[in-house]
Amino acid sequence: MMLSRIQMPLKARAGEVIEIRIAIQHPMETGYRQDEMGKSIPANVVNHLVCNYGGKEIFRAEMGTGIAANPYLAFFAVAGASGEVEFSWTDDKGETGEARVPLAVTA
Amino acid sequence: MPGADSFNARVDRLRRRFLARAVAVAAAPLPLLFTRSASAQDDTIVPAIREFTKGAAVRRGRVKLELPRLADNGNSVALKVSVSSPMTAADFVRGIHLFSEKNPRPVIARFFLGPQSGRAEVNTRIRLAGTQRVVAVAELSDGSFWSDVADVSVTLSACLDGT
């Protein structure tokens, strides 16, 4: 389980465009680094992040080694109905992480 | 004098050849994105963009790619990309793809959006292996492709020094 920090409003009005920001703790190994023994460290990046809201995919990112360590993403979404905003991501080793934030939508 | 004649003839020949080549270079169908002379790096970025657009024309405009002019550290460079689009069900941005000219892997990231995004804008932080141009290409719901290019001078490159 990887750590993450999500910043987004917990309350929004219907139709409002909200900003969602997520940062994940991950080294995003490029595969070009070596350990202290001179052995190369294999590439391992968070290659995939999906954001679902109300059971529907609203944002997806496919990333490579060109994304900085501890990947940070900020994107926007239209507040529809009250529900959970779910985040899930996977790295090259197959490790996954997920997070959920409830969003209360008022008319 | 036969010597002078042959010299003039040779200069003339060289001049003709030079002009012919200059015209050929000027008329060569360079990719739309690269108005500067083609560099060795274009060999990786252009095929990567072509693979994404499947050969469709990419136009400049509508996309705004914001990167610092000078990045002290290539390991983490703040990037903001936005596309002017109403983001309605009829007209929205399907995806934004980021390409690097000099990184070992030309595709930095792909973002997939939709009308539910409300605003076509993504912020992230990228790695840059040296001073280069970064290209953002957006695919719209009508199937057209738009792009923007940003120049970044990188003082300390990512990837290269093994740290």
Side-chain angles (χ1 to χ4, degrees):
Chain A
M1 186 73 188
M2 286 174 264
L3 289 175
S4 66
R5 191 174 67 206
I6 294 157
Q7 285 172 296
M8 57 173 272
L10 300 176
K11 277 186 276 182
R13 255 184 266 152
E16 195 184 333
V17 176
I18 57 167
E19 186 180 25
I20 299 171
R21 299 189 282 167
I22 177 167
I24 299 164
Q25 194 178 64
H26 196 280
M28 297 293 272
E29 283 295 345
T30 58
Y32 298 100
R33 298 201 314 150
Q34 297 174 342
D35 63 16
E36 55 275 21
M37 302 304 285
K39 232 177 75 198
S40 75
I41 303 169
N44 180 27
V45 300
V46 173
N47 51 51
H48 202 87
L49 178 136
V50 179
C51 177
N52 288 313
Y53 170 44
K56 256 179 66 186
E57 180 183 305
I58 58 163
F59 177 81
R60 186 156 51 96
E62 285 171 15
M63 297 172 278
T65 53
I67 294 291
N70 301 322
Y72 162 81
L73 289 168
F75 52 92
F76 292 86
V78 178
S82 293
E84 275 193 332
V85 182
E86 302 162 14
F87 306 84
S88 59
W89 58 93
T90 315
D91 75 3
D92 289 341
K93 282 185 180 165
E95 253 188 85
T96 58
E98 56 171 39
R100 286 152 189 274
V101 179
L103 176 67
V105 179
T106 54
Chain B
M1 243 167 85
D5 274 338
S6 67
F7 176 75
N8 281 340
R10 216 160 68 213
V11 166
D12 204 43
R13 233 181 7 255
L14 281 171
R15 196 175 59 210
R16 275 162 206 272
R17 205 188 297 158
F18 171 76
L19 282 170
R21 280 186 190 163
V23 167
V25 165
L30 282 173
L32 194 68
L33 292 169
F34 300 101
T35 42
R36 276 193 234 163
S37 64
S39 61
Q41 282 83 30
D42 292 354
D43 293 343
T44 61
I45 191 168
V46 171
I49 295 172
R50 288 240 171 89
E51 196 193 326
F52 164 47
T53 61
K54 298 187 179 66
V58 179
R59 278 173 283 180
R60 272 298 269 277
R62 291 192 72 165
V63 181
K64 197 170 165 207
L65 178 61
E66 287 170 65
L67 276 161
R69 292 277 304 237
L70 174 73
D72 286 335
N73 188 338
N75 283 309
S76 183
V77 185
L79 175 148
K80 174 179 167 181
V81 60
S82 52
V83 186
S84 69
S85 162
M87 294 305 268
T88 58
D91 183 4
F92 60 92
V93 177
R94 269 186 216 288
I96 303 171
H97 297 219
L98 300 173
F99 301 92
S100 147
E101 186 186 38
K102 265 193 191 166
N103 283 9
R105 293 190 180 88
V107 179
I108 299 174
R110 309 177 188 281
F111 304 120
F112 299 91
L113 319 172
Q116 72 286 343
S117 296
R119 199 198 300 185
E121 180 187 318
V122 179
N123 289 268
T124 187
R125 290 194 274 258
I126 64 168
R127 284 198 180 107
L128 290 173
T131 297
Q132 58 179 298
R133 275 170 290 166
V134 176
V135 182
V137 182
E139 183 187 10
L140 270 56
S141 52
D142 62 1
S144 63
F145 293 94
W146 298 83
S147 76
D148 192 17
V149 180
D151 274 281
V152 193
S153 297
V154 178
T155 317
L156 176 67
S157 293
C159 312
L160 300 178
D161 56 357
T163 53

